[in-house]
């Protein structure tokens, strides 16, 4: 049976840049990495794929503070193709 006008959700992949800031860059051994994941993707799903792309990512916290395109976000935030996710280490100071 065929339904006219039926729409099947697309599972196009999403490619984002993950930027490691400060101490996280030292732990990861680099400042950026490109990660691809099936869409729709969230910050959490990108972070889950990170260890597959970059083994040194296992040194990072499981749930780091993140920003997407310079805006602080939760792990459930959807990401779009071309977005940048920055991993923000804890800051201390006075």
């Amino acid at each position: 049976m065929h339904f006219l006008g039926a729409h099947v959700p697309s599972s196009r992949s999403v490619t984002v840049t993950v930027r490691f800031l400060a101490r996280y860059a030292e732990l990861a051994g680099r400042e950026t990495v490109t990660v691809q994941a099936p869409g729709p993707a969230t910050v959490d799903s990108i972070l889950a794929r990170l260890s597959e792309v970059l083994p040194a990512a296992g040194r990072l916290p499981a749930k780091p503070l993140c920003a997407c395109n310079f805006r602080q976000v939760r792990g459930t935030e959807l990401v779009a193709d071309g977005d940048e996710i920055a991993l923000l280490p804890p800051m201390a100071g006075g």
Side-chain angles (χ1 to χ4, degrees):
M1 185 181 295
H2 179 70
F3 296 96
L4 293 176
H7 177 70
V8 177
S10 172
S11 61
R12 293 180 54 200
S13 65
V14 174
T15 302
V16 301
T17 300
V18 177
R19 182 170 303 279
F20 306 101
L21 300 179
R23 176 76 176 134
Y24 290 168
E26 294 173 21
L27 293 172
R30 61 175 58 198
E31 292 183 1
T32 62
V33 67
T34 301
V35 177
Q36 190 172 33
T42 63
V43 171
D44 283 342
S45 67
I46 295 296
L47 294 179
R49 294 265 308 142
L50 192 56
S51 61
E52 296 172 23
V53 175
L54 183 66
R59 299 178 188 154
L60 301 170
K63 296 286 185 180
L65 184 63
C66 295
C68 183
N69 301 326
F70 304 103
R71 185 176 61 86
Q72 189 174 336
V73 294
R74 296 182 184 270
T76 55
E77 182 85 14
L78 288 173
V79 295
D81 195 47
D83 280 353
E84 179 181 270
I85 297 171
L87 304 188
L88 312 169
M91 297 292 182

